[in-house]
Amino acid sequence: MQLLLMGPPGAGKGTQAVKLVEKYKIPQISTGDMFRAAVKEGTELGKKAKACMDAGTLVPDEVTVGIVRERLAKDDCKGGFILDGFPRTVEQAKALEKILDELNLKLTKVLNIRVPAEFLIERAVGRRICKGCGATYHVKFNAPKVEDTCDNCGGKLYQRADDTEETMKKRLSVYEESTRPLIEYYEKVGLYTEVDGRQPIEKVTEELENVLNSVEG
Ligand code: ADP
Ligand code: ADP
Ligand code: ZN
């Protein structure tokens, strides 16, 4: 399955992608995670991405499309993948179409986790991530058993630098302007489905799996 997981910042894309990775044994491709790894390693890519990420704006399309093209060409994507947080602009969606054509692949489904703006700042500001294994928590909605400590690996939890109220406001306005138009783009090609992302995490997973079961079956 070649899946695309969409939704505004903080909607739960990463959280749900991890569940789908487990169930369908296909890799998650998160441009945000790739940029954060590059920033941490101090690579050229990281330098290009950092200022945009800190400001809550999008990394330029040519940079983003380049890393996705390289990633999708790897062997582990041959049996399917979950794109998480890419595409975020219509330009990126068009570039993705070309990349997939070249690889002789087609998107199976576009899944949008729909969450109204008033939920999203609280979700992002309360988000915590494990330094050790990258697992995502929330101080209120998905709290670890021991405060600031990962249930899986015992690692310490940290907060993303861009998960502030101020940066989130910017990210939400960028979403409205640049990313929301993708809904119509994918509706037109008949691949689009949405689930109600205001529900508890397990319920959202169940609905996504129901959608995918009907595709598979
Ligand atoms: P969120 O969890 O808010 O959806 P991500 O982790 O996906 O955020 O992305 C964090 C930041 O990385 C974005 O604010 C943006 O600066 C950059 N980024 C991630 N994906 C893309 C993309 N497809 N195009 C441009 N910039 C991106
Ligand atoms: P995204 O990748 O779309 O930015 P995340 O998966 O990182 O979103 O989720 C953002 C925050 O909201 C995290 O702290 C996560 O634990 C929490 N979260 C995810 N899904 C839900 C949900 N259905 N209800 C409440 N909180 C959620
Ligand atoms: Zn961990």
Side-chain angles (χ1 to χ4, degrees):
M1 278 195 293
Q2 288 75 238
L3 303 177
L4 213 156
L5 204 49
M6 289 187 8
K13 300 180 294 295
T15 301
Q16 298 301 330
V18 168
K19 314 253 182 206
L20 299 177
V21 163
E22 268 171 36
K23 173 145 190 198
Y24 297 101
K25 317 283 182 218
I26 48 180
Q28 170 194 9
I29 302 176
S30 157
T31 40
D33 286 351
M34 289 159 87
F35 287 138
R36 277 185 290 280
V39 169
K40 208 170 143 198
E41 286 163 22
T43 61
E44 273 311 305
L45 172 67
K47 283 177 201 150
K48 280 185 198 149
K50 187 172 187 309
C52 300
M53 296 174 84
D54 286 347
T57 58
L58 295 179
V59 177
D61 284 344
E62 61 272 19
V63 176
T64 310
V65 167
I67 65 164
V68 172
R69 178 180 287 114
E70 274 180 30
R71 182 65 188 86
L72 285 175
K74 298 212 161 132
D75 278 349
D76 65 334
C77 294
K78 291 208 161 73
F81 52 79
I82 305 167
L83 276 169
D84 156 10
F86 179 94
R88 262 174 153 96
T89 64
V90 170
E91 277 310 303
Q92 290 180 11
K94 289 181 179 159
L96 175 64
E97 226 169 278
K98 266 203 198 139
I99 295 170
L100 293 178
D101 269 350
E102 283 164 21
L103 295 167
N104 240 323
L105 293 170
K106 270 194 176 11
L107 285 180
T108 313
K109 203 80 202 156
V110 174
L111 302 160
N112 185 35
I113 305 176
R114 193 184 191 99
V115 181
E118 64 262 31
F119 288 71
L120 295 168
I121 290 183
E122 187 182 16
R123 285 207 187 170
V125 170
R127 170 160 47 193
R128 298 291 182 274
I129 300 175
C130 174
K131 272 202 170 107
C133 71
T136 299
Y137 295 87
H138 190 282
V139 291
K140 187 162 147 197
F141 305 128
N142 186 22
K145 293 193 180 80
V146 180
E147 203 182 338
D148 286 329
T149 308
C150 178
D151 294 349
N152 301 335
C153 77
K156 220 176 141 35
L157 305 188
Y158 72 96
Q159 191 172 10
R160 269 169 50 178
D162 59 346
D163 276 343
T164 62
E165 184 165 346
E166 194 197 349
T167 311
M168 263 306 272
K169 283 187 178 148
K170 178 66 188 167
R171 286 154 67 197
L172 290 172
S173 81
V174 169
Y175 172 82
E176 288 302 325
E177 182 160 332
S178 303
T179 309
R180 190 185 283 285
L182 284 176
I183 293 179
E184 204 190 330
Y185 180 91
Y186 284 115
E187 264 173 348
K188 278 190 182 145
V189 289
L191 290 172
Y192 180 83
T193 315
E194 62 180 34
V195 301
D196 182 352
R198 293 172 302 183
Q199 307 174 92
I201 292 172
E202 297 70 33
K203 187 79 182 103
V204 177
T205 308
E206 198 183 306
E207 291 201 359
L208 291 171
E209 289 180 353
N210 284 341
V211 171
L212 296 175
N213 285 338
S214 69
V215 175
E216 279 184 313

